[in-house]
């Protein structure tokens, strides 16, 4: 439709880098433009005949494109001076500004890293905001960066409802869908929403990312939801530039893959042309908002200036190909529209171009003079907020008696009035209490509703609280955790269930890379509180193998900001759940509740029929303190056993045998809290006892026991006699062979014998 730059590029420009070439291209294109000029349109008139975009709107979109471009150019220049620390640019993707214009600032957005145009345009939605200065502070890693506080270059804004993303290689797609589902869920529950009820969710990504398993699971879940006539107003924006770093996307692949996908409504828009593209973007947005269906917007873009500043495309792409790509620069098309329509003259465009450059460089120089993060405490400040007094007050705040009576089906059925029960029942009763206490709580996962879970732990919750609050999901742990984040984003308190610990590993990036990083990368402006229930650990009999006896706690220990609790008995489980929920509610924390499957139904401790592993239900105003251990035989000083989960009853039995054999008084410490470990408590008990045993049912490498040993050694008690009883570095085999690879009672006694010798 419009003229393009000469191809091949003039010889005098071949020695320049591609950013300089694109800069010169634009200026020469404007100066040399020779097209016909129409009468200048009024601000509210169509920029060109037949377009839904008026002149004012076009002018603003063009300005947003120029802001995005000059931020990229500025970053390339100032990176070599260590004034800017990020050069993945948005050049060629500036057409995503149309998506920002067609949507609202209250439509939650999860953005691709090439979203400079989108952000510049969305900044117009609220008065008094400065897209150039805010972006410059982020590029400079300034502590005054309003998005992340200088922790990462992210596109984000609390007032503009842009939740910050980092690498965004598809990992944000599940939580975007979860947020869309959450909008509709909160409307049905009547719990209130932080955004308008007709909001939609925007989620942008690249064509290469569309192939990622995490993206595919989100698309499948979106279609699965729509197939059942459930509303899910998410607008997936695939910014198709035809290449991922250096790997080309097959021509036509995105359109062929998504045009006919069932229950994912497909739209195409040309992101290189504001006039023809805007109408199609507007249609997609309006369709998503009106129908509340998942919508796929295939936005044509171009990647110019390479993947990032370190990507020297000339080394692996031909000069002819690069020239062709640069000839498709969307800013050239926008300049031609401005000229042909009569809206702007050549001099006006060039003056705006240079004025935008000046503002971007001035903002960057200003940002470089601002404070940066200089202490570890400052780095970690938003990662894991903890206000112990407020958490304890919330954890010990009981639900109303009326709500409890309704949840349990009568005052005489309140759990504290019942006989002592085993772990599974106490967890179930605690979940009843939590759902009674927090009307915004949702419990969901595979088989949790009518069936009540594989082990009946959630039995009765569906009947007590209904399908709006207790429901089954598709069999997809990635999406379960993605939905949890979405619900949390919209003010709900999710309790997702991961049916087995082994099933978590294929989805764990939803915790590691997404849920637990949000407070950190948003400087604690956004939170996604949740309590993730995970059934796991070993020692199941008659139902075994790796996937049902997984002892890999290490994967959870490595996630910054996560809290992991692991009860071994029913009363602890109930009180721990209250604390985890309070941590989520008060401090926005992501928490995990690791349930030892083999102890679910355990009633006896020392011998059959003794009932010593049954516990009374703690009153609803009782809760644990984060990090607080349970100590058995606290006066003993001959030996201390540190353990958790299944190791607790084993260690208690072993302690009795050790006392008989060696005459030692043995203290058993149930750590209960696995992340973070309470180093002070571990050091205290180690210092008070002569010998140390560690019973860790995890693997030899990277288990909880290693953390315990570290705490002991760093406290200065590493010279004491110490033994570790731990599982083998292997997957768990089937049937009786499973018990060859995990600790047994007799292994603990053998370790004590070694200490005695």
């Amino acid at each position: 439709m419009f003229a393009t730059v000469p191809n091949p590029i003039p010889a005098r420009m071949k020695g320049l880098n591609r950013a300089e070439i694109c800069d010169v291209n634009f200026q020469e294109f404007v100066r040399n433009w020779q097209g016909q000029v129409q009468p200048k349109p009024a601000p509210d008139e169509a920029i060109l005949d037949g377009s839904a975009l008026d002149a004012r709107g076009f002018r603003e979109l063009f300005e947003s494109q120029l802001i995005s471009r000059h931020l990229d150019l500025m970053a390339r220049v100032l990176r070599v001076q260590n004034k800017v620390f990020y050069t993945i640019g948005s050049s060629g993707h500036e057409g995503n500004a149309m998506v920002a214009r067609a949507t609202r600032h209250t439509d939650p957005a999860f953005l691709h890293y090439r979203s400079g145009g989108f952000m510049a345009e969305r900044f117009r939605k609220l008065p008094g905001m400065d897209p150039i200065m805010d972006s410059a502070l982020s590029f400079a890693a300034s502590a005054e960066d309003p998005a992340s506080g200088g922790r990462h270059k992210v596109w984000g804004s609390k007032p503009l409802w842009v939740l910050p993303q980092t690498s965004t290689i598809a990992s944000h797609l599940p939580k975007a869908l979860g947020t869309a589902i959450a909008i509709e869920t909160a409307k049905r529950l009547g719990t209130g929403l932080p955004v308008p009820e007709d909001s939609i969710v925007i989620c942008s990504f690249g064509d290469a990312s569309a192939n990622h398993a995490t993206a595919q699971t989100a698309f499948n879940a979106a279609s699965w939801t729509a197939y059942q006539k459930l509303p899910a107003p998410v607008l997936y924006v695939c910014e198709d530039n035809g290449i991922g770093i250096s790997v080309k996307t097959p021509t036509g692949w995105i359109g062929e893959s998504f045009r006919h996908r069932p229950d994912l409504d497909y739209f195409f828009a040309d992101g290189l042309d504001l006039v023809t593209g805007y109408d199609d973007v507007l249609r997609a947005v309006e369709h998503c908002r009106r129908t509340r269906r998942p919508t796929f917007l295939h936005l044509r873009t171009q990647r110019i200036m390479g993947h990032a500043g370190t990507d020297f495309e000339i080394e692996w792409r031909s000069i002819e190909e690069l020239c062709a790509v640069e000839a498709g620069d969307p800013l050239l098309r926008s300049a031609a529209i401005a000229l042909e329509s009569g809206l702007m003259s050549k001099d006006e465009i060039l003056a705006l171009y240079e004025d935008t450059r000046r503002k971007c460089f001035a903002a960057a120089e200003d940002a470089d003079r601002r404070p940066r993060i200089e202490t570890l405490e400052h780095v970690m400040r938003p990662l894991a907020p903890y206000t112990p007094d407020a958490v304890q007050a919330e954890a010990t705040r009981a639900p109303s008696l009326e709500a409890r009576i309704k949840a349990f089906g009568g005052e005489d059925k309140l759990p504290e009035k019942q006989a002592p029960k085993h772990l599974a029942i106490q967890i179930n009763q605690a979940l009843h209490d939590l759902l009674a206490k927090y009307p915004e709580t949702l419990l969901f996962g595979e088989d949790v509703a009518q069936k009540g879970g594989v082990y009946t732990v959630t039995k009765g919750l569906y009947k007590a609280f209904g399908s709006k609050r207790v429901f089954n999901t598709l069999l997809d742990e990635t999406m379960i955790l993605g939905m949890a984040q979405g619900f949390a984003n919209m003010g709900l308190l999710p309790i997702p269930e991961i049916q087995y610990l082994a099933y978590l590993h294929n989805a764990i990036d939803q915790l590691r890379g997404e849920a637990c990083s949000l407070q950190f990368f948003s400087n604690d402006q956004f939170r996604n509180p949740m309590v993730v229930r995970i059934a796991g650990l070993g020692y199941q009999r008659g139902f075994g193998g790796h996937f049902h006896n997984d002892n890999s706690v290490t994967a959870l220990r490595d996630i910054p900001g996560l809290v992991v609790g692991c009860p071994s008995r029913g009363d602890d489980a109930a009180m721990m759940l209250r604390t985890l929920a309070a941590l989520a509610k008060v401090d926005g924390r992501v928490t995990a509740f690791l349930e030892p499957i083999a102890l679910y139904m355990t009633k006896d401790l020392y011998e059959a029929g003794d009932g010593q592993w049954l516990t009374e239900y703690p009153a609803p105003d009782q809760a644990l303190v984060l990090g607080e251990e349970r100590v058995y035989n606290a006066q003993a000083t001959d030996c201390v056993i540190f353990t958790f989960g299944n190791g607790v009853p084993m260690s208690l039995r072993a302690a009795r045998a050790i006392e008989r054999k060696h005459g030692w008084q043995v203290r058993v410490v149930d750590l209960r809290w696995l992340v973070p470990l309470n180093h002070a408590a571990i050091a205290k008990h180690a210092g008070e006892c002569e010998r140390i045993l560690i019973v860790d049912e995890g693997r030899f490498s990277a288990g909880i026991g290693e953390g315990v040993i570290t705490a002991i050694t760093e406290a200065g008690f590493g010279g004491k006699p110490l033994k570790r009883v731990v599982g083998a570095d292997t997957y768990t085999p089937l049937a009786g062979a499973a018990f060859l690879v995990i600790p047994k009672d007799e292994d603990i006694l053998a370790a004590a014998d070694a200490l005695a010798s």
Side-chain angles (χ1 to χ4, degrees):
M1 179 178 180
F2 303 110
T4 58
V5 294
N7 192 7
I9 203 157
R12 63 185 175 80
M13 296 174 62
K14 288 185 178 180
L16 303 177
N17 66 46
R18 307 318 296 182
E20 290 177 290
I21 288 170
C22 291
D23 189 13
V24 173
N25 276 352
F26 181 86
Q27 297 173 70
E28 293 203 349
F29 175 83
V30 173
R31 292 191 188 101
N32 297 332
W33 189 80
Q34 298 295 326
Q36 296 294 315
V37 177
Q38 298 180 7
K40 182 176 182 178
D44 58 352
E45 289 181 343
I47 184 68
L48 290 175
D49 290 344
S51 173
L53 185 62
D54 62 23
R56 180 185 294 105
F58 171 83
R59 171 71 181 245
E60 291 180 349
L61 283 171
F62 188 27
E63 290 175 355
S64 294
Q65 288 184 309
L66 293 177
I67 289 171
S68 179
R69 175 60 56 85
H70 277 297
L71 287 172
D72 286 356
L73 294 172
M74 172 274 295
R76 299 297 178 94
V77 172
L78 297 185
R79 174 65 193 94
V80 296
Q81 302 176 31
N82 279 329
K83 294 181 177 181
V84 161
F85 302 94
Y86 191 87
T87 58
I88 295 181
S90 304
S91 296
H93 285 244
E94 291 91 351
N96 55 35
M98 294 186 289
V99 180
R101 187 168 193 87
T103 55
R104 307 169 184 164
H105 80 276
T106 50
D107 291 330
F110 302 84
L111 298 180
H112 187 41
Y113 44 61
R114 303 196 193 280
S115 295
F118 181 101
M119 286 301 297
E121 185 65 23
R122 182 165 271 209
F123 268 90
R124 299 181 188 281
K125 303 286 185 177
L126 289 178
M129 300 193 72
D130 184 351
I132 295 177
M133 192 63 213
D134 279 13
S135 299
L137 290 166
S138 188
F139 276 102
S142 168
E144 297 179 5
D145 164 28
S148 76
R151 288 168 186 83
H152 202 283
K153 163 62 187 73
V154 295
W155 296 118
S157 170
K158 178 68 172 177
L160 295 176
W161 267 100
V162 179
L163 290 82
Q165 312 302 304
T166 54
S167 59
T168 57
I169 308 301
S171 58
H172 57 311
L173 273 68
K175 66 181 181 182
L177 174 59
T179 304
I181 294 171
I183 290 171
E184 301 300 315
T185 301
K187 284 159 58 175
R188 291 194 297 271
L189 290 177
T191 56
L193 272 168
V195 296
E197 290 190 353
D198 65 343
S199 296
I200 66 172
V201 176
I202 302 136
C203 180
S204 58
F205 52 95
D207 50 292
S209 294
N211 300 298
H212 198 283
T214 310
Q216 292 296 322
T217 201
F219 300 141
N220 176 73
S223 297
W224 185 85
T225 302
Y227 179 76
Q228 299 176 85
K229 311 301 182 187
L230 299 173
V234 60
L235 179 69
Y236 281 128
V237 183
C238 181
E239 299 185 14
D240 183 3
N241 62 26
I243 196 166
I245 303 184
S246 68
V247 179
K248 294 180 181 179
T249 297
T251 302
W253 171 246
I254 295 298
E256 188 66 23
S257 297
F258 291 94
R259 189 177 291 111
H260 306 296
R261 188 171 291 214
D263 291 300
L264 186 59
D265 302 341
Y266 175 90
F267 291 80
F268 175 82
D270 188 352
L272 303 179
D273 188 325
L274 297 182
V275 169
T276 61
Y278 187 71
D279 291 9
D280 293 323
V281 168
L282 201 59
R283 283 195 311 116
V285 170
E286 291 175 347
H287 171 84
C288 184
R289 198 178 304 279
R290 175 176 51 83
T291 65
R292 320 302 290 164
R293 284 174 57 84
T295 304
F296 188 95
L297 174 59
H298 181 189
L299 188 68
R300 180 189 176 204
T301 61
Q302 189 80 283
R303 193 191 77 189
I304 60 176
M305 292 164 48
H307 173 73
T310 54
D311 179 19
F312 300 105
E313 289 182 293
I314 195 66
E315 296 178 353
W316 55 273
R317 299 179 87 172
S318 70
I319 186 66
E320 291 76 17
E321 183 180 357
L322 283 174
C323 289
V325 167
E326 289 156 2
D329 185 343
L331 265 63
L332 304 182
R333 298 194 182 197
S334 295
I337 295 170
L339 291 165
E340 180 181 295
S341 66
L343 180 66
M344 301 175 73
S345 68
K346 295 179 182 182
D347 288 343
E348 287 175 317
I349 292 174
L350 292 173
L352 177 61
Y353 188 76
E354 291 304 324
D355 186 54
T356 307
R357 185 201 305 274
R358 180 189 58 77
K359 289 178 179 177
C360 288
F361 272 85
E365 294 290 350
D366 185 358
D368 180 56
R369 293 187 290 270
R370 305 288 184 95
R372 291 198 173 101
I373 296 174
E374 294 182 347
T375 66
L376 177 61
E377 184 278 330
H378 191 170
V379 170
M380 297 183 65
R381 192 177 297 158
L383 174 64
Y386 179 41
T387 50
D389 292 343
V391 168
Q392 198 63 14
E394 179 63 22
T396 55
R397 181 177 65 83
S400 71
L401 180 60
E402 180 183 8
R404 298 190 74 225
I405 290 172
K406 182 178 180 182
F408 289 105
E411 188 169 4
D412 60 326
K413 295 183 180 179
L414 293 176
E416 61 268 29
K417 297 185 177 183
Q418 310 305 313
K421 295 290 192 296
H422 53 263
L423 177 67
I425 290 180
Q426 302 288 47
I427 293 174
N428 176 275
Q429 293 170 333
L431 291 172
H432 274 82
D433 259 336
L434 283 182
L435 268 74
K437 181 176 180 177
Y438 300 114
E440 69 274 22
T441 299
L442 306 175
L443 188 143
F444 53 95
E446 300 159 16
D447 304 303
V448 301
Q450 294 90 333
K451 180 178 174 61
V454 172
Y455 298 96
T456 70
V457 175
T458 59
K459 183 178 180 180
L461 290 165
Y462 177 82
K463 181 178 180 181
F465 297 99
S467 60
K468 293 179 182 178
R469 298 186 62 195
V470 180
F471 51 89
N472 294 325
T473 66
L474 73 173
L475 198 154
D476 184 345
E477 285 74 24
T478 296
M479 200 57 236
I480 290 171
L481 295 175
M483 282 199 298
Q485 293 173 79
F487 289 135
N489 288 333
M490 291 296 103
L492 301 168
L493 178 60
I495 305 181
E497 179 185 290
I498 302 298
Q499 199 166 86
Y500 290 100
L501 178 58
Y503 298 172
L504 172 67
H505 302 312
N506 62 10
I508 200 164
D509 187 54
Q510 289 299 304
L511 293 181
R512 181 192 310 279
E514 294 296 334
C516 288
S517 72
L518 181 61
Q519 283 177 277
F520 182 78
F521 286 121
S522 71
N523 203 16
D524 201 22
Q525 296 176 87
F526 289 102
R527 297 176 165 188
N528 45 23
M530 66 184 73
V531 181
V532 183
R533 292 181 48 245
I534 309 168
L537 303 180
Y539 299 95
Q540 282 198 87
R541 295 181 181 274
F543 194 75
H546 162 62
F547 281 104
H548 304 111
N549 280 294
D550 185 16
N551 56 3
S552 180
V553 183
T554 305
L556 291 167
R557 287 189 65 212
D558 186 45
I559 302 177
L562 181 67
V563 173
V564 181
C566 180
S568 63
R569 45 188 276 174
D571 53 354
D572 281 358
M575 293 187 290
M576 183 178 283
L577 270 171
R578 295 166 189 167
T579 303
L580 292 171
L583 283 163
K585 287 292 296 182
V586 173
D587 291 325
R589 299 294 291 276
V590 179
T591 68
F593 185 65
L594 184 59
E595 304 172 8
I597 299 171
L599 296 179
Y600 272 153
M601 310 300 175
T602 298
K603 301 177 177 64
D604 306 321
L605 177 57
Y606 295 111
E607 55 191 34
D610 69 14
Q612 291 196 39
W613 212 241
L614 301 173
T615 62
E616 293 183 349
Y617 187 76
D621 60 353
Q622 296 181 27
L624 299 186
V625 174
L626 176 62
E628 183 181 43
E629 76 279 25
R630 179 180 283 278
V631 184
Y632 299 86
N633 198 15
Q635 302 308 312
T637 59
D638 295 322
C639 182
V640 60
I641 302 177
F642 294 102
T643 189
F644 66 94
N646 292 291
V648 177
M650 286 196 304
S651 296
L652 290 170
R653 290 191 294 268
R656 176 179 284 190
I658 291 168
E659 182 180 352
R660 287 196 299 262
K661 185 171 184 179
H662 296 291
W664 300 344
Q665 291 294 311
V666 180
R667 182 185 308 188
V668 175
V669 177
D670 180 356
L671 297 167
R672 297 195 292 198
W673 301 95
L674 306 185
V675 182
L677 282 173
N678 188 338
H679 281 220
I682 293 168
K684 171 184 178 295
H685 295 294
E688 292 174 351
C689 298
E690 293 181 24
R691 305 167 186 86
I692 302 167
L693 274 172
I694 299 166
V695 178
D696 176 3
E697 65 178 284
R699 297 186 184 129
F700 179 87
S701 299
I704 295 295
E706 291 187 354
V708 175
I709 291 172
T710 299
I712 293 169
T713 303
E714 290 182 344
F717 302 119
K720 291 194 174 187
L722 182 150
K723 285 288 181 181
R724 179 166 62 122
V725 181
V726 67
D729 277 343
T730 179
Y731 297 101
T732 304
L734 193 61
F739 295 89
L740 300 174
V741 305
I742 50 180
K744 301 177 287 297
D745 293 28
E746 50 266 36
D747 296 330
I748 305 173
L749 186 56
D753 292 344
L755 286 178
S757 65

